[in-house]
Amino acid sequence: MPKELKKRGRREEKKRKRDGDDPGSLTIPKRQKSQEEEDDEKIVLDVAEPFQEQSYNDTTQMEDTPFFGLLDEEEQTYFKRANSLLELDQFADAEERGLFLANVYREASGKELKVACSQSCSRLMERLIRLSTPRQLKVLFHRFSGHFLHLVQHRFASHVCEALFLKAAPTVTHELIALEEEEQEPGKDEDAPIAMKDLFVSTVKELEGNLGYLMTDSFASHTLRVLLVVLSGQPLTGTATNLLLQSKKKEKVASTARTIGATAEALGPRTVPEEFTAAMDRTIAGTVAGLNTTYLQALATHPTGNPVLQLLLELEFARLAKSKAGDEISLFRRLLPDDPPVEGTSSAIFIRGLLYDPVGSRLLETIIQFAPGKIFKTLYKSMFRDKIGDLVRNETAGFVVIRILERLSHDDLQPAIEQICPHIPMLIERQRISIIKVTIERCTIRQVDTQTIGDAIKIGYGEAQPDMLLHILKLGRDETEGMAEERKAQLEAQDLGKLHGSLLAQSMVQAPGPLREVILNNILAMDLQSLMLMAKDRTATHLLQSVLTCSGQTKQFRRKMIQQFFGYIAELAFNPIASHVVDTFWAATEDLLYLRERIAEELQQAEAALRDSFSGRAVWRNWMMDLYTRKRVDWISKAKGLQQVDERPKVQGKHEQHIPVKSGIELARERFATTKTGKQARGRTGRSGIGTGANVVPSSAQPHAIGANT
């Protein structure tokens, strides 16, 4: 037998021992723990971390996850082809699409679990669910029943479960309020449950007792959040809901025919049965009972568990009464046991750590946003009231300050502004404009004086006009000149500082007083070139529109602004961005009729070019230029804002009533009907035997003839 090829020397021998390749090292057994040590360690875990032991046991069970099998090559080819056809959505009508879906379901019968767990075919299942009928959804629920605990933790099947929950949620509302009946299809499956709510309740019962590790599972946590939203009756789609349910990396798998977001039920709150409320309360209570303070506080900074904890706290604040929200049995009180969390307590130390943690600060934002007023006031007085100025300086804690400002009353807002104003120049230098914008908006709502904020903004941007506004909007340079429009839009979307500057200027315009005067004076000081650049800029154009249409704007300012664009109205109308400014001119000249006529004249002179431009046609339609060209008097009446009801004749009497004025087409239809009726009457007269032409009977003989015939 040949010898093993290995290098000689002490260094190589040490290396082999270190890597475990030395045969002698394999003969030395590892020291085994005694039974006593294992019992001691188990007791420590049971006392300090009650959920760690359960997580270990559940993880061990997950090693025995059932294997549902694999699709063969022919089945994969069929389902991939079906997926591509659904993605293209080139069916003639809904009936043809329905027949295709029925055939796919028939082919997938008994293979639903395989398809859901398949990397290449799970997308097909998601598209099928988004196009399925309530009965088909119930059949899928039945097929998945008993396997949800494993499916929600699967990399691909978890997305299928999310789509199933979101699509089936509106059906629960329909069944509850009896607005529409379930679609009955031939060959009804006897195994399909009757009520959709029973399927959801059974799914929740299947997942109960496993929330501890599902909250931190990278796939199951998203599905758990979707299920909680469905049970609570919150909107299924929307900006806030999408941020809570999905990560930024989630793949958008949807059908072009119908999507979940297309339904009106998904955009607003839904009516849910009492069973959902009870199931949600049991879920929150089970979470509180199974987790202690130490584990919850560790979960607050966990990237995966933090969003689930946010949702649980939000639902608890919404469902429980204010008195119960502070009880020891509540999730909030388990998270922050000290009431109030004064300086030096464990709760205060925990909150201070959350303020500067990128993940934990989001949980603190949720608490501040949704906590009852009594709890918020206690937290504000003990933790934030005297530290607003210090918190503003930190980038992460600044988002928490924004949530705090949104809930402060008039009396509490004024001292907070006094702490923030000295730091405004620093915030401007670091491009953290959101705090300043929210501060101005809250001052406008609470009617707080903004003079100190205006002075601080002038220090940050400078007082020179109009350089100050150009600095805010970042209009001094045009680095995208000559680029394609798509590339310009992409670069501008990435420049958040420019967007935040425009939003800051718009909030200043909406605040009557010194802040608005600062923006208006800077705009009036601009030359025509800067104004045209501002009108054509994707973000700055919104400020120009806001300035012209804000409440309380004077007629003198609107006249000066619009007159500067005379001679360039058509150029603005050709631009897809600046054309919206021309549309705004109509509302801004409501009491300036001669300016409307002047703008309409410029548009009429460029009629041919405007009709060849997409944005120009939109401006032509919004300004009713066809009416201006053909019926100038009617256009002027509309431009003056005269109501048609005022020109209607009135019926004299005890109660004067307006007689509806008929349109031109209605009058033409009446004339046509009258003419047609007259022809038919003359025709009947000719056929009655009285005669026409030379055979006509004299009028004196007509009654006698008719009477004789009768």
Side-chain angles (χ1 to χ4, degrees):
M1 182 176 180
K3 293 183 180 181
E4 181 183 0
L5 180 62
K6 56 184 179 181
K7 296 182 180 180
R8 295 181 296 175
R10 290 176 295 177
R11 293 182 180 177
E12 292 297 329
E13 184 178 358
K14 290 181 180 180
K15 184 178 179 181
R16 286 195 301 271
K17 290 182 179 180
R18 183 172 64 251
D19 297 340
D21 295 337
D22 187 54
S25 63
L26 297 176
T27 59
I28 301 176
K30 186 177 180 181
R31 185 179 70 88
Q32 300 294 330
K33 292 184 180 180
S34 63
Q35 186 67 24
E36 242 179 299
E37 292 175 345
E38 290 182 358
D39 293 340
D40 292 342
E41 186 176 357
K42 186 174 182 180
I43 291 174
V44 172
L45 288 174
D46 189 55
V47 174
E49 302 287 346
F51 228 87
Q52 294 290 337
E53 183 181 0
Q54 180 181 352
S55 177
Y56 173 78
N57 295 335
D58 292 330
T59 306
T60 305
Q61 295 175 4
M62 283 306 299
E63 296 177 357
D64 301 330
T65 302
F67 178 65
F68 303 113
L70 297 175
L71 297 171
D72 56 33
E73 185 176 355
E74 183 179 354
E75 292 172 342
Q76 288 187 8
T77 304
Y78 173 80
F79 289 128
K80 287 180 181 179
R81 174 63 177 168
N83 184 36
S84 62
L85 291 177
L86 284 178
E87 186 177 5
L88 293 175
D89 190 31
Q90 295 180 349
F91 302 101
D93 50 17
E95 183 179 359
E96 182 179 350
R97 187 188 302 112
L99 292 175
F100 178 78
L101 293 176
N103 292 331
V104 175
Y105 267 110
R106 189 180 301 108
E107 183 67 26
S109 179
K111 309 170 188 174
E112 292 86 355
L113 295 173
K114 293 182 182 181
V115 176
C117 297
S118 173
Q119 178 179 3
S120 58
C121 300
S122 61
R123 296 177 180 85
L124 168 65
M125 185 64 72
E126 292 185 56
R127 288 193 171 92
L128 282 177
I129 289 173
R130 284 169 168 81
L131 299 171
S132 298
T133 61
R135 176 185 172 276
Q136 292 169 338
L137 295 176
K138 292 178 181 181
V139 173
L140 276 181
F141 258 108
H142 176 71
R143 298 287 188 263
F144 292 166
S145 180
H147 304 285
F148 275 109
L149 182 59
H150 305 295
L151 293 177
V152 297
Q153 299 174 80
H154 194 274
R155 179 180 180 182
F156 307 113
S158 60
H159 299 286
V160 176
C161 294
E162 290 180 31
L164 179 61
F165 294 157
L166 290 173
K167 179 62 179 178
T171 305
V172 176
T173 305
H174 293 163
E175 293 178 349
L176 183 64
I177 60 179
L179 289 180
E180 65 179 20
E181 298 179 355
E182 296 180 7
E183 298 178 10
Q184 300 295 334
E185 299 180 358
K188 181 178 178 181
D189 194 340
E190 298 296 337
D191 296 334
I194 298 177
M196 188 71 77
K197 65 178 181 180
D198 298 332
L199 297 171
F200 274 105
V201 173
S202 63
T203 303
V204 174
K205 291 181 180 179
E206 186 176 343
L207 300 179
E208 282 181 356
N210 303 284
L211 298 177
Y213 71 89
L214 291 181
M215 292 173 66
T216 56
D217 186 85
S218 57
F219 303 115
S221 61
H222 296 81
T223 312
L224 182 60
R225 279 179 267 168
V226 171
L227 185 59
L228 290 173
V229 168
V230 171
L231 294 177
S232 64
Q234 291 185 351
L236 301 176
T237 58
T239 304
T241 305
N242 292 338
L243 291 175
L244 185 63
L245 299 183
Q246 303 173 358
S247 64
K248 296 181 180 179
K249 299 180 181 179
K250 180 176 175 60
E251 180 183 359
K252 301 295 185 294
V253 179
S255 173
T256 55
R258 272 187 312 186
T259 60
I260 295 176
T263 58
E265 296 87 347
L267 300 176
R270 295 167 293 105
T271 304
V272 295
E274 297 180 357
E275 291 84 352
F276 278 20
T277 304
M280 187 179 62
D281 293 341
R282 287 198 311 271
T283 302
I284 298 176
T287 304
V288 176
L291 303 178
N292 58 12
T293 301
T294 305
Y295 189 86
L296 281 175
Q297 292 183 354
L299 201 64
T301 56
H302 193 281
T304 307
N306 179 277
V308 183
L309 190 57
Q310 289 183 49
L311 182 58
L312 289 174
L313 284 172
E314 180 181 346
L315 297 179
E316 182 182 75
F317 289 143
R319 299 298 304 175
L320 298 181
K322 295 182 179 180
S323 59
K324 292 183 179 180
D327 291 348
E328 296 181 358
I329 61 173
S330 67
L331 180 61
F332 172 76
R333 190 50 61 200
R334 186 67 62 89
L335 182 66
L336 300 175
D338 299 306
D339 187 20
V342 295
E343 196 69 30
T345 60
S346 61
S347 299
I349 297 173
F350 172 66
I351 292 175
R352 190 175 299 278
L354 293 181
L355 281 169
Y356 304 102
D357 188 86
V359 178
S361 61
R362 296 180 180 272
L363 178 65
L364 199 54
E365 291 181 45
T366 301
I367 294 175
I368 293 173
Q369 183 178 4
F370 297 102
K374 182 179 179 181
I375 295 177
F376 169 74
K377 292 179 181 178
T378 302
L379 287 175
Y380 177 72
K381 292 179 181 179
S382 59
M383 295 297 302
F384 307 118
R385 181 170 57 182
D386 301 329
K387 303 174 184 177
I388 294 293
D390 297 333
L391 296 177
V392 165
R393 298 168 58 185
N394 185 269
E395 183 177 1
T396 303
F399 294 100
V400 181
V401 174
I402 290 176
R403 295 299 183 186
I404 293 174
L405 293 175
E406 291 175 351
R407 296 204 60 177
L408 291 181
S409 62
H410 177 276
D411 297 334
D412 293 330
L413 186 59
Q414 184 65 45
I417 292 174
E418 294 176 359
Q419 299 182 53
I420 294 175
C421 284
H423 303 284
I424 287 181
M426 179 269 297
L427 296 175
I428 294 175
E429 182 181 358
R430 298 181 181 179
Q431 295 297 321
R432 292 168 51 199
I433 312 298
S434 300
I435 299 178
I436 308 175
K437 180 183 77 72
V438 173
T439 304
I440 295 174
E441 292 174 351
R442 300 311 300 174
C443 289
T444 304
I445 295 174
R446 299 298 185 188
Q447 298 181 355
V448 178
D449 184 33
T450 57
Q451 182 63 46
T452 55
I453 300 177
D455 296 339
I457 291 177
K458 290 179 181 179
I459 296 174
Y461 285 112
E463 299 185 16
Q465 299 177 1
D467 296 338
M468 175 183 176
L469 184 57
L470 294 176
H471 190 191
I472 294 176
L473 300 175
K474 293 187 176 182
L475 290 178
R477 59 186 186 279
D478 189 9
E479 300 177 352
T480 61
E481 186 176 359
M483 291 185 180
E485 291 296 331
E486 296 181 357
R487 181 58 178 168
K488 284 184 180 181
Q490 184 179 2
L491 292 177
E492 291 177 359
Q494 296 175 356
D495 190 4
L496 297 180
K498 192 172 184 178
L499 173 62
H500 291 169
S502 176
L503 294 176
L504 172 63
Q506 293 178 50
S507 64
M508 294 173 66
V509 170
Q510 299 299 329
L515 291 179
R516 177 183 291 182
E517 294 299 326
V518 170
I519 300 297
L520 298 187
N521 294 335
N522 276 267
I523 291 179
L524 291 177
M526 284 185 176
D527 55 4
L528 179 60
Q529 182 180 0
S530 299
L531 288 175
M532 294 293 291
L533 180 62
M534 183 178 175
K536 297 178 181 180
D537 188 81
R538 198 174 300 272
T539 56
T541 185
H542 295 286
L543 173 62
L544 194 58
Q545 300 173 36
S546 178
V547 165
L548 292 171
T549 58
C550 65
S551 60
Q553 188 59 270
T554 61
K555 183 188 299 186
Q556 292 78 7
F557 175 82
R558 287 183 278 119
R559 184 177 65 250
K560 291 180 181 179
M561 276 293 302
I562 296 174
Q563 286 177 345
Q564 295 189 56
F565 291 99
F566 283 166
Y568 300 90
I569 299 296
E571 181 181 348
L572 294 177
F574 294 143
N575 189 279
I577 298 174
S579 60
H580 298 288
V581 178
V582 182
D583 295 336
T584 307
F585 286 165
W586 177 270
T589 57
E590 183 179 4
D591 50 352
L592 299 170
L593 179 60
Y594 67 96
L595 293 183
R596 282 187 175 179
E597 293 179 342
R598 174 68 182 275
I599 295 173
E601 289 176 3
E602 290 195 27
L603 293 176
Q604 187 182 28
Q605 293 174 2
E607 178 180 359
L610 289 174
R611 291 187 181 276
D612 292 337
S613 171
F614 177 79
S615 58
R617 289 194 297 270
V619 173
W620 186 272
R621 181 177 60 254
N622 294 335
W623 272 79
M624 300 177 291
M625 291 303 299
D626 288 331
L627 185 64
Y628 178 83
T629 304
R630 299 170 183 173
K631 295 184 178 181
R632 184 74 59 87
V633 177
D634 294 345
W635 185 91
I636 292 177
S637 299
K638 289 182 176 293
K640 289 181 179 180
L642 297 178
Q643 299 295 331
Q644 193 174 14
V645 70
D646 296 332
E647 301 175 355
R648 299 173 182 176
K650 297 180 179 179
V651 177
Q652 300 295 333
K654 185 177 182 180
H655 300 286
E656 294 186 352
Q657 298 178 352
H658 292 285
I659 299 177
V661 177
K662 298 180 181 179
S663 62
I665 187 65
E666 292 175 344
L667 295 175
R669 287 171 179 170
E670 286 187 357
R671 290 195 297 269
F672 177 78
T674 303
T675 305
K676 186 176 181 180
T677 304
K679 291 181 179 179
Q680 292 176 352
R682 288 194 298 271
R684 286 194 300 268
T685 304
R687 291 189 298 270
S688 62
I690 299 177
T692 59
N695 299 323
V696 65
V697 180
S699 59
S700 58
Q702 288 180 7
H704 175 73
I706 296 174
N709 294 333
T710 57

